[in-house]
Amino acid sequence: MFKLIQGDAPDFSKFPAFRYNGKRGKLINTIPIGFDIETTNVDALETAFMYIWQCCIADSVYIGRTWDDFFDFLHWLRQPAMLPPDKGYIHIFIHNMAFEMAFLLPQFVKRNMLKRVFAKAEWQPIEVEITGGIVFRDTMALTNMSLASLAKNYTKTQKLVYIDEETGEKISDLDYSIPRNSKTVLTARELSYCINDVVILSEYAQQLHAEYTMHRRRIPLTSTGIVRQYVKEQIPPNRRYAVQQHIASLFPETVEQYNYTMRWLFRGGFTHAQTAICGDILYNVSSFDFTSAYPSIMIHEAFPATPFEIVQNPTKSKIDSLIDAGRAVLVMVDFYGIKATCAHVVESKHKIIDYEHAIFENGRLYKAAHIRVLLTDVDYQIYHDFYTWDRCEIVSAKTAHKKRLPDYLFNAVLEFYKGKKELKAQVKAAEAAGVDASDIKKLLQKVKGMLNSCYGMTVSHLNFDEIIYDADGWHEVDGESYDVLKQQQFLSPYWGIYVTAYCRRNILAAMKYYNENAAYSDTDSIKLIGNDFSFFDAYNARVRALNEDICRRRGLPVEIYGDLGLFDNEGVYSRFKAWGAKRYVYEKDGNIEAVIAGLPKSVTKAYAKDNGNDALFDFFRPGMSFEDADKNRHVYHSEPVSAIVEGEEMHELGCCYITASSFKMTVEQLFISQICERKELKH
């Protein structure tokens, strides 16, 4: 049986229920509940088994050791004496729900309790509803944080760790290498670890109910959904239908055109290491950060604001005229005899529709006999800055008028940026005064996330297929039609496409200006060799003038928005070494940092601590490997599994096995040859 191990039995009468979205919305109870499980691995079979679950209801913590215990608990929870049906649905919050649901979903199906699953992909549910009005929600999808980070930013209770007296390292109180079964006696410290995890979730749930449910608003499913809900609420109710009709016209006409546009026109941030510097240790490298890059572009630039119209008989001169007139242009171009003109290669292989006799440097185009690409007017101009060609042919083109973003989005960006700026100032003032700034920092983290989500929601793809789970496992079914979905939107997909295009233009302008002295760029930052900062000085002067003009016209405070979108000098790296995009190591003020895709920073920090900074710079080369990369590998089982664990026969109807993974940095031989060739040309 389940049992209460902390606090008193909860008084459900203290937690009222509210209907979100008026009279027709669901009745949601505000009792804050967090749930978690702990599992033991059987490595030989790559399987896992639950040996304890814990659930926090307000201040009361319950545990059980079997799934039967858990379903008894759910039955107890929804019996009329505890929580009558007229008290509404209850939400149970889980962090990284994909893990728990690998075990629970087949249990729900077996008991004929599963009603609905909403998932981002197979094995990735973010909302699960079962009989009895119980809805499980994923807090990781809502925060994009680890549980430790969620606790740090939102709750009083923290993840439980203790300090090893010999090493001084923080260590979890659960040693996952120890085999455990449903009868294993846990120590007080181990139980405390389990308790803290669900208390954190209950405290966070209480905040969510206070912010949303009690104000008759539905708790969003994702971090982007929080901002999506806020922005949509900025549209006056009597204007929403008209706005949605207009936005529907700012979508490609058919689903085929939509998929084609998102596949070939959308390009993300520009992340690139200059080929010729790869493998070299560079000294005295300055780092410049394009502050609030995407939000600033959403304020500074104009975006497609009318339906795109076909340009009849498009020619290069006609396209150039449209661009010069400030029009948005989508153009499909055939380039013949195209070749990069400077130290940097910019076009991704994955965004070239067709090519012949092409040479790519680490996935970016150096030259080709022929390519076909789909470009915005912004990327079309970038091509002129970074490539030369024998001839080009305009295959097709569309054009639209540009305007500033609508007020409901434009003002939201300004509001969140203002909040971020003011909270940063409050943190600085509190720390200078020796006052605890932890609560302000938590709020700052939240506002920063909302600011970033203003861009994130503009690049969310429409989902035409619904991922469901039932007795047949995971599979796709047809969702809403394209025509229905686009009628429900209030953001055009072209806005996100142009935000990234403008950002690339700004970053690449600096890369071209400094050419061989520009070592590396990563979406909103540049690593620069030398002490010539004239480009950034001139750029910042133009942006300050633009900000002042916007503030004057809109009656905004210059002290808040005057520095929006500037390049900020983050200081000098004494040493810097790169081996391509998202693969670099640097030393600053004696401290070493590594950004290596697929490898947590903790691994390289530990290596440098044990062996020294010089050793890490030397070790950072093709073939560098770590047996334990401090990163998990997940193996999902959709069929029943069994094993003997410490003498007990344990069973699961489905599970998720997690184990540490290894890491090895590989560099293609072709790219190594190209690095050598570029170095020879450079010298």
Side-chain angles (χ1 to χ4, degrees):
M1 274 294 294
F2 64 91
K3 61 181 180 180
L4 177 66
I5 63 168
Q6 179 171 293
D8 299 321
D11 182 355
F12 285 83
S13 65
K14 293 182 178 179
F15 298 92
F18 296 84
R19 289 193 186 277
Y20 68 78
N21 198 26
K23 294 181 180 179
R24 293 178 297 173
K26 289 182 178 179
L27 186 68
I28 307 297
N29 193 278
T30 54
I31 186 81
I33 308 177
F35 176 77
D36 187 28
I37 70 173
E38 297 298 341
T39 63
T40 191
N41 283 348
V42 178
D43 296 328
L45 302 176
E46 293 198 333
T47 58
F49 300 87
M50 186 276 294
Y51 65 87
I52 187 172
W53 59 262
Q54 50 271 6
C55 190
C56 181
I57 304 176
D59 297 323
S60 309
V61 178
Y62 292 83
I63 66 166
R65 304 302 297 265
T66 69
W67 288 124
D68 286 341
D69 290 347
F70 179 63
F71 286 99
D72 288 343
F73 173 78
L74 292 181
H75 177 72
W76 166 83
L77 186 62
R78 283 313 319 225
Q79 62 179 312
M82 294 302 299
L83 191 59
D86 62 354
K87 290 300 183 182
Y89 288 80
I90 60 171
H91 284 169
I92 298 178
F93 291 90
I94 305 175
H95 200 75
N96 189 20
M97 194 166 76
F99 179 74
E100 275 77 7
M101 285 301 158
F103 297 82
L104 272 172
L105 284 175
Q107 296 281 353
F108 292 148
V109 169
K110 177 185 176 182
R111 290 168 168 82
N112 198 30
M113 295 176 66
L114 186 62
K115 293 190 67 174
R116 179 177 57 86
V117 174
F118 180 76
K120 297 184 292 184
E122 288 188 0
W123 304 107
Q124 296 297 315
I126 56 177
E127 184 176 54
V128 174
E129 181 182 347
I130 63 173
T131 54
I134 296 173
V135 179
F136 296 89
R137 297 288 300 274
D138 185 12
T139 53
M140 178 176 279
L142 196 55
T143 60
N144 286 332
M145 298 176 183
S146 66
L147 184 60
S149 295
L150 183 155
K152 182 179 179 182
N153 288 293
Y154 291 102
T155 66
K156 178 181 178 181
T157 302
Q158 301 294 300
K159 285 280 287 185
L160 189 61
V161 295
Y162 72 94
I163 307 299
D164 187 288
E165 295 180 357
E166 294 183 0
T167 65
E169 295 181 357
K170 292 183 178 179
I171 300 176
S172 165
D173 281 296
L174 273 184
D175 184 347
Y176 289 93
S177 66
I178 298 174
R180 298 182 175 94
N181 60 35
S182 65
K183 297 178 177 61
T184 301
V185 177
L186 273 65
T187 67
R189 177 173 277 172
E190 289 170 336
L191 271 177
S192 295
Y193 176 92
C194 297
I195 290 169
N196 274 37
D197 282 2
V198 288
V199 172
I200 289 168
L201 292 173
S202 179
E203 290 178 6
Y204 183 55
Q206 187 172 11
Q207 295 177 33
L208 291 173
H209 285 308
E211 184 173 357
Y212 293 99
T213 312
M214 292 181 184
H215 292 278
R216 304 186 184 279
R217 299 162 65 207
R218 187 174 190 268
I219 298 173
L221 290 172
T222 65
S223 57
T224 300
I226 293 174
V227 177
R228 186 181 298 275
Q229 184 183 100
Y230 175 87
V231 171
K232 191 172 183 178
E233 289 171 351
Q234 306 314 301
I235 306 172
N238 63 344
R239 287 282 303 147
R240 287 178 188 171
Y241 178 76
V243 167
Q244 289 176 322
Q245 290 295 107
H246 174 64
I247 294 301
S249 73
L250 302 185
F251 271 72
E253 291 185 8
T254 67
V255 65
E256 291 79 16
Q257 291 173 352
Y258 174 83
N259 289 331
Y260 195 87
T261 298
M262 299 307 291
R263 169 68 181 86
W264 299 111
L265 190 64
F266 173 75
R267 292 162 172 79
F270 182 71
T271 303
H272 157 81
Q274 183 192 150
T275 303
I277 64 95
C278 287
D280 291 344
I281 295 179
L282 308 178
Y283 299 91
N284 298 322
V285 173
S286 295
S287 178
F288 281 82
D289 179 52
F290 186 11
T291 59
S292 297
Y294 288 159
S296 69
I297 283 165
M298 297 174 77
I299 299 302
H300 292 157
E301 304 293 348
F303 297 83
T306 61
F308 277 93
E309 300 175 349
I310 294 175
V311 178
Q312 301 295 334
N313 303 314
T315 62
K316 187 177 185 306
S317 60
K318 187 178 289 188
I319 298 303
D320 291 341
S321 296
L322 288 168
I323 294 174
D324 290 342
R327 300 270 294 197
V329 179
L330 309 182
V331 58
M332 183 178 289
V333 191
D334 282 337
F335 291 102
Y336 296 89
I338 188 170
K339 184 179 180 180
T341 57
C342 70
H344 304 284
V345 287
V346 301
E347 182 61 285
S348 169
K349 178 180 180 179
H350 301 294
K351 292 301 173 181
I352 300 177
I353 299 170
D354 190 24
Y355 58 84
E356 297 176 62
H357 306 298
I359 295 177
F360 299 93
E361 290 183 4
N362 203 26
R364 294 193 178 273
L365 178 69
Y366 173 59
K367 66 178 181 179
H370 163 249
I371 66 167
R372 172 171 288 189
V373 287
L374 183 61
L375 306 171
T376 65
D377 49 279
V378 181
D379 289 300
Y380 178 76
Q381 293 174 300
I382 290 172
Y383 261 68
H384 283 75
D385 289 337
F386 284 86
Y387 290 103
T388 186
W389 47 83
D390 296 334
R391 64 186 176 93
C392 74
E393 296 178 0
I394 308 299
V395 179
S396 62
K398 294 181 179 181
T399 185
H401 288 285
K402 286 183 179 180
K403 291 183 180 179
R404 299 290 184 190
L405 292 173
D407 284 347
Y408 57 83
L409 180 56
F410 190 95
N411 291 339
V413 176
L414 291 176
E415 183 67 22
F416 295 143
Y417 182 80
K418 178 183 178 182
K420 172 186 170 182
K421 191 78 178 293
E422 291 177 342
L423 288 167
K424 287 180 71 173
Q426 291 176 28
V427 168
K428 187 175 181 179
E431 291 179 339
V435 177
D436 180 18
S438 57
D439 288 341
I440 307 174
K441 288 181 179 179
K442 291 176 182 179
L443 187 55
L444 172 61
Q445 188 69 25
K446 178 180 178 180
V447 172
K448 286 170 66 176
M450 297 179 77
L451 177 63
N452 293 334
S453 289
C454 286
Y455 157 74
M457 64 184 180
T458 67
V459 292
S460 298
H461 288 210
L462 298 182
N463 294 319
F464 307 114
D465 296 317
E466 186 178 348
I467 311 295
I468 68 170
Y469 184 91
D470 55 24
D472 296 321
W474 290 102
H475 52 98
E476 290 184 357
V477 297
D478 292 337
E480 295 281 9
S481 70
Y482 178 64
D483 288 337
V484 170
L485 285 173
K486 70 178 183 179
Q487 292 288 337
Q488 300 170 350
Q489 308 305 310
F490 58 95
L491 304 168
S492 168
Y494 293 115
W495 299 346
I497 288 170
Y498 268 81
V499 168
T500 59
Y502 285 129
C503 187
R504 288 192 303 277
R505 180 201 63 189
N506 294 350
I507 289 290
L508 286 167
M511 300 296 283
K512 183 183 179 183
Y513 181 90
Y514 289 108
N515 197 13
E516 293 184 348
N517 285 332
Y520 186 90
S521 66
D522 191 349
T523 304
D524 58 1
S525 69
I526 294 173
K527 316 304 179 187
L528 178 67
I529 304 167
N531 300 313
D532 176 12
F533 305 149
S534 55
F535 172 89
F536 301 111
D537 293 339
Y539 181 93
N540 286 349
R542 291 194 301 272
V543 171
R544 283 195 181 93
L546 176 60
N547 288 336
E548 290 173 3
D549 182 61
I550 292 172
C551 289
R552 177 181 55 78
R553 287 187 287 107
R554 290 183 169 260
L556 300 171
V558 176
E559 60 271 19
I560 294 292
Y561 300 105
D563 59 357
L564 175 62
L566 301 183
F567 275 101
D568 180 35
N569 189 337
E570 293 188 309
V572 177
Y573 302 158
S574 55
R575 287 187 287 180
F576 177 88
K577 183 180 181 181
W579 272 108
K582 297 289 186 182
R583 291 180 170 186
Y584 64 90
V585 176
Y586 66 90
E587 184 180 52
K588 181 181 179 182
D589 300 328
N591 299 314
I592 199 160
E593 295 285 347
V595 176
I596 304 170
L599 186 66
K601 292 182 179 181
S602 58
V603 177
T604 49
K605 279 186 174 294
Y607 184 91
K609 181 180 179 181
D610 293 339
N611 301 279
N613 292 359
D614 292 346
L616 179 58
F617 268 92
D618 181 61
F619 189 45
F620 177 56
R621 61 183 184 272
M624 178 186 71
S625 63
F626 295 92
E627 284 300 316
D628 183 356
D630 196 24
K631 188 175 181 180
N632 292 330
R633 177 172 64 91
H634 295 69
V635 179
Y636 291 96
H637 291 273
S638 57
E639 300 295 330
V641 295
S642 301
I644 303 295
V645 181
E646 293 295 283
E648 179 184 354
E649 185 174 347
M650 302 187 75
H651 306 276
E652 295 289 355
L653 298 180
C655 70
C656 178
Y657 167 82
I658 300 178
T659 187
S661 63
S662 60
F663 173 86
K664 183 176 183 179
M665 191 175 80
T666 59
V667 180
E668 293 183 357
Q669 186 58 49
L670 174 61
F671 184 48
I672 293 176
S673 299
Q674 291 169 337
I675 293 171
C676 295
E677 291 174 7
R678 284 280 193 165
K679 292 183 188 299
E680 290 178 4
L681 289 173
K682 188 174 182 178
H683 296 294

